[in-house]
Amino acid sequence: MAEVRRSGATIVLVPTMGSLHEGHLSLFEIAGKVRSDRNLFVVGSIFVNPLQFGPGGDYDIYPRNLRRDVELLSGRSCDAVFAPSVKEMYGAGGETQVVVNRLSEPLCGAHRPGHFEGVLTVVAKLFLIVQPDIAVFGQKDAQQALIIKRMIDDLGFPVELLLGPTVRSSDGLAESSRNTFLSPEQRSIALGLYRALQAVRDSLIEGERSVVALEDVGRRVLVDSGLDRIDYFEIRKLPELVHPEEARGHLLVATSAFVGRTRLIDNLVLQVDGESVIEAALF
Ligand code: AMP
C-alpha cells in the first residue's frame, strides 16, 4: 500500500465480510467511479470479524466463500483483496476497542451488545492498515454508517465516507449474505420487512404523523407477514437517532426481525416536509 500511495493514486476501501452479493458489488461500482481518471486503487477487504458477533450469534456459521468472492471481484473495479486471518488482524491483542457513545445505544445497539464496538474497532484497524482516501459503505446498515461517520469526525481519520443505496432483489428483499440461510418459505416471510417499511411510507403519504401510530403500522405488517420475533421497528430522527413523537424532517425508519434463526435488518430514509414524503439519502 505504501507503494500505491507513493504513486499518487486515490485509494478507495470497500470493507465487507465477504460472501459477496449484488449489494456489495454496487459498492465496488461506486468505488470505481470516484475519479474519472484512472489513478485509482480500489481495495476490497473480506473479513468475518469475530469482535462484532455476540455470544450465540452466527459467527461460526456465517457464510464464507473467499474463492468465489475473489472470482467475482476479479472482473470488476477492485485492484486488491485484503482477506486477513483473525490472528493477523488481532494477534494476541484485542484489548483496545473504539466506542461511539449514544449513537450506538438504540436500534441494533440495544439488541447486540458490543456489536458496534466490534465494527468500529475493525474499521479503525482497516483504515490504519489500508490508509484509504475514501471508504464506501452501504445504507443498508444505516446505523453502522452513521456511527462510522461519527468516528471519522471525532478521531479525525482523513477518510471520506461514501454511501451506496440499498440494493434489493426484484421481490424487494434487501440483499444480504444471510439471505442464503433462508428457505424459499422463509424468504417469502422475510419480504415482510420491506412491506412494513413501505406501509409506513404509505401511512405518512396519507398524512399520519404520529410515531406511535406509524410504528404500530409497521409492527403489524411484520407480524401479519409471519415475522413474530421482532427486535425493533422504529422511527428515529436523523442524524442523532432520537426517538421523536412526530414524524417530520429527516427520518430513519428501521427494523430488525428474525426469520427462524436468521436475523435480518432493513430501513428506509425519508424526508418529510409538510405533505411531502420522499426517499432521501442518509447523509
Ligand atoms: P457486510 O459484508 O454485510 O458487512 O457488508 C459490507 C458492506 O456492504 C456494508 O457497508 C454494508 O452496508 C453493505 N451492504 C450490505 N448489503 C447491502 C445491500 N443490500 N445494498 C447495499 N449495500 C449493502
Side-chain angles (χ1 to χ4, degrees):
M1 290 313 298
E3 214 169 280
V4 172
R5 180 156 293 281
R6 271 196 299 276
S7 79
T10 297
I11 299 169
V12 188
L13 172 66
V14 183
T16 81
M17 296 206 298
S19 200
L20 301 180
H21 51 67
E22 289 298 326
H24 296 119
L25 297 179
S26 74
L27 304 184
F28 283 92
E29 209 162 295
I30 291 170
K33 288 186 183 150
V34 297
R35 274 180 66 158
S36 50
D37 67 50
R38 296 198 168 264
N39 205 4
L40 201 62
F41 193 89
V42 178
V43 180
S45 67
I46 296 178
F47 181 60
V48 184
N49 174 31
L51 273 194
Q52 69 189 71
F53 289 79
D58 55 0
Y59 175 72
D60 288 334
I61 58 165
Y62 195 84
R64 292 162 169 88
N65 205 335
L66 185 58
R67 189 187 295 247
R68 177 181 163 274
D69 288 345
V70 171
E71 259 167 36
L72 270 174
L73 290 177
S74 64
R76 301 172 198 255
S77 45
C78 178
D79 299 291
V81 171
F82 178 50
S85 66
V86 172
K87 189 152 172 268
E88 197 176 356
M89 276 305 266
Y90 294 120
E95 301 216 21
T96 307
Q97 294 219 4
V98 182
V99 181
V100 169
N101 292 315
R102 270 184 329 103
L103 281 180
S104 300
E105 285 163 16
L107 306 175
C108 285
H111 296 272
R112 302 185 73 186
H115 169 69
F116 286 120
E117 287 79 0
V119 170
L120 289 166
T121 303
V122 81
V123 170
K125 289 199 68 144
L126 290 169
F127 283 178
L128 291 166
I129 294 164
V130 177
Q131 297 184 30
D133 301 287
I134 296 170
V136 190
F137 290 88
Q139 192 164 293
K140 156 102 185 323
D141 297 83
Q143 187 179 15
Q144 168 176 290
L146 289 168
I147 292 172
I148 290 169
K149 185 172 190 301
R150 185 60 56 90
M151 176 187 75
I152 288 174
D153 293 345
D154 285 351
L155 297 185
F157 277 104
V159 179
E160 184 188 341
L161 198 161
L162 293 183
L163 267 194
T166 300
V167 173
R168 302 175 180 284
S169 62
S170 55
D171 55 12
L173 184 65
E175 295 283 359
S176 162
S177 305
R178 290 188 171 92
N179 290 351
T180 56
F181 293 141
L182 303 176
S183 68
E185 192 195 327
Q186 287 179 324
R187 198 188 152 92
S188 65
I189 292 173
L191 296 178
L193 288 167
Y194 189 47
R195 218 178 290 137
L197 296 169
Q198 286 178 307
V200 165
R201 185 182 48 199
D202 292 347
S203 291
L204 277 161
I205 290 169
E206 284 160 18
E208 183 61 76
R209 293 292 180 269
S210 153
V211 165
V212 170
L214 290 161
E215 289 175 345
D216 203 44
V217 166
R219 287 191 196 113
R220 224 163 344 161
V221 175
L222 291 179
V223 172
D224 289 348
S225 307
L227 288 146
D228 44 15
R229 205 175 142 206
I230 303 168
D231 264 1
Y232 61 82
F233 188 102
E234 289 186 27
I235 298 175
R236 295 265 168 174
K237 255 196 111 108
L238 291 163
E240 295 297 333
L241 295 182
V242 291
H243 201 189
E245 282 177 21
E246 286 231 315
R248 290 182 201 285
H250 195 200
L251 302 173
L252 175 68
V253 190
T255 183
S256 169
F258 282 84
V259 187
R261 297 173 67 177
T262 306
R263 184 179 182 276
L264 299 174
I265 60 171
D266 201 352
N267 70 76
L268 274 186
V269 178
L270 300 171
Q271 181 70 41
V272 180
D273 296 308
E275 306 265 279
S276 145
V277 178
I278 49 172
E279 271 198 51
L282 192 62
F283 47 76

